[in-house]
Amino acid sequence: MTRLFLDIHALQTVPPSNLNRDDTGAPKTAVYGGVPRARVSSQAWKRATRTCFADEHLLDPAELGVRTKKVAEALAERIRASDPSIGEADALLLAAEVIQTATGSVIEVPKRSKKTADAEETDQAPRSKYLMFLSSRQLDGLAQVAIEGAADIKSHLKDKNTKARAKHIADTRHSVDIALFGRMVADSSDINVDAAVQVAHALSVHRAETESDYYTAVDDRNTDAEPGAGMIGTVDFNSATLYRYAALGVHQLAENLGQGLREDEPRTAPVRRAVEAFLHGFIASLPTGKINTFGHHTLPDAVIVKLRTTRPVSFVAAFEEPVRGDQGGHVREAAERLAGYVPDIERAYAGQEATPAWVLRVGPNTHKLAALGTESENLSELVAAVGQAVAERLEKPA
């Protein structure tokens, strides 16, 4: 299949916030263009995007997976749902054996320190040593393998055909989130899934400084004879206009999804559905770090989407020289930077094929971006237009 990439660029302003903390509790930062910038890691925004799939009902639960160390518990629930006669403890043992066979991962009861064991009752459920990512349909298939061998699971899994079947189930019919973000299985690299999506660390387009908020809390039961705060503390924060970028390899996504999520639909339908879900989810999502403290609920001021057949291209270099904000804000100048930079770099590295582009923008500060592509009235219109374009490309002969 022809290489096909979807580039998503966004400008988003967040007020005082701490979206993504480092090991000291401060907002993550990076030096770019010789000055400190606010930074939100790719992991934080990928997690927010995955959460958005379910929260905004962008995809059916059957098209999603679960990433957890408690994978034996997840599979045991499927086993008992299919066969209630199997007890909880037996279901956990069956699940552990099947997962070990299918993925090569060791599933065992985690070791607890004596202090922890003495302090509270320990959880005896077996777990993986690392996060395991399995689709809903893979869990259903493995549950069936477990139920078939419930009488003697070890002997059942020693059968060459059964073992091969378990491995095949774990490596096919991937969920959309596995197909998008990939999967690494340390103990069985042959069932790894290459990610179709690359998400850049979001960076502020300007110099950003970390500040500290000193707060106090009052004890409601204190009397006038007990002055002072019940609690005091500090929390670090910054505010920024962020440049966000993600690249989706549509060809890799199509390969990961294989024949699709449902046998009764056209070949391109699941790929289009996954593209539209990611596009909507990435644009509309927001990391929730310290959100109860800061309430940083914002959406992008501008979004640019490009469809390419060569390679992904980020526009972050437009902000290598930091926006100064001399006009009292950063969005207007950031939009002007993009409006000038994008045509220049497209012209300098132009290929034989025109690059389709779509723009979604809000307010007069972003008006210069209108020239960069076909304008959409709202997010739904943008997502539908891009999805249609992707489907048409996929349907063309290679």
Side-chain angles (χ1 to χ4, degrees), residues 63 75 103 210 270 322 388-389:
E63 296 180 304
L75 182 54
T103 69
T210 298
Q388 178 63 32

Side-chain angles (χ1 to χ4, degrees), residues 4-8 42 45-47 49-50 53 176-183 193-200 245-254 256 274-275 277-279 282 312:
L4 189 62
F5 297 98
L6 200 65
D7 283 347
I8 309 168
S42 60
W45 230 300
K46 282 190 280 190
R47 169 65 180 172
T49 302
R50 284 185 55 226
F53 292 158
V176 170
D177 42 3
I178 291 176
L180 285 167
F181 299 110
R183 178 179 72 189
V193 179
D194 292 333
V197 167
Q198 298 172 349
V199 177
Y245 170 72
L248 169 57
V250 179
H251 56 287
Q252 183 66 56
L253 174 63
N256 290 350
V275 167
F278 177 75
L279 184 59
F282 179 71

Side-chain angles (χ1 to χ4, degrees), residues 13 205-206 240-241 301 322-337 365:
T13 297
V205 301
H206 53 84
T241 295
D301 296 279
V323 170
R324 297 179 60 86
D326 295 336
Q327 302 173 41
H330 298 105
V331 173
R332 181 186 295 274
E333 187 177 344
E336 290 174 352
R337 290 276 192 92
N365 286 340

Side-chain angles (χ1 to χ4, degrees), residues 21-73:
R21 285 167 277 176
D22 64 17
D23 57 341
T24 70
K28 289 185 177 180
T29 60
V31 174
Y32 182 63
V35 302
R37 312 287 184 112
R39 176 172 67 92
V40 181
S41 72
S42 60
Q43 294 91 334
W45 230 300
K46 282 190 280 190
R47 169 65 180 172
T49 302
R50 284 185 55 226
T51 303
C52 191
F53 292 158
D55 290 349
E56 298 200 17
H57 307 290
L58 301 177
L59 292 166
D60 188 281
E63 296 180 304
L64 297 174
V66 60
R67 189 179 66 170
T68 179
K69 290 182 178 180
K70 301 177 183 179
V71 64
E73 292 180 37

Side-chain angles (χ1 to χ4, degrees), residues 127-322:
R127 299 183 181 182
S128 170
K129 291 183 178 180
Y130 48 83
L131 293 171
M132 182 70 67
F133 207 174
L134 291 172
S135 75
S136 177
R137 298 191 307 171
Q138 287 165 352
L139 288 170
D140 286 340
L142 293 176
Q144 188 59 41
V145 172
I147 291 168
E148 291 169 3
D152 187 351
I153 191 63
K154 289 186 180 294
S155 297
H156 183 59
L157 293 174
K158 283 181 180 178
D159 180 77
K160 183 185 296 186
N161 291 332
T162 303
K163 189 174 183 178
R165 178 183 162 209
K167 285 183 172 291
H168 178 75
I169 289 171
D171 196 32
T172 54
R173 298 165 70 88
H174 298 303
S175 58
V176 170
D177 42 3
I178 291 176
L180 285 167
F181 299 110
R183 178 179 72 189
M184 187 186 78
V185 182
D187 298 311
S188 189
S189 60
D190 57 325
I191 65 169
N192 286 349
V193 179
D194 292 333
V197 167
Q198 298 172 349
V199 177
H201 289 231
L203 284 177
S204 65
V205 301
H206 53 84
R207 183 187 188 99
E209 302 292 347
T210 298
E211 301 178 69
S212 185
D213 175 41
Y214 172 82
Y215 65 87
T216 63
V218 177
D219 189 323
D220 291 344
R221 291 185 61 83
N222 275 4
T223 66
D224 292 342
E226 300 173 286
M231 183 180 73
I232 59 175
T234 59
V235 58
D236 292 334
F237 67 91
N238 57 25
S239 58
T241 295
L242 300 168
Y243 169 74
R244 300 171 50 206
Y245 170 72
L248 169 57
V250 179
H251 56 287
Q252 183 66 56
L253 174 63
E255 180 180 330
N256 290 350
L257 287 175
Q259 293 302 312
L261 298 172
R262 295 200 300 262
E263 286 74 15
D264 61 343
E265 63 184 1
R267 178 180 60 87
T268 60
V271 180
R272 175 175 179 172
R273 193 161 59 248
V275 167
E276 292 182 348
F278 177 75
L279 184 59
H280 183 126
F282 179 71
I283 293 171
S285 63
L286 185 68
T288 56
K290 290 286 186 181
I291 201 163
N292 289 337
T293 301
F294 294 103
H296 51 265
H297 298 281
T298 66
L299 288 164
D301 296 279
V303 176
I304 304 167
V305 180
K306 292 266 189 178
L307 197 58
R308 303 180 183 278
T309 57
T310 51
R311 50 156 288 189
V313 179
S314 169
F315 299 146
V316 69
F319 309 110
E320 191 273 340
E321 180 182 338

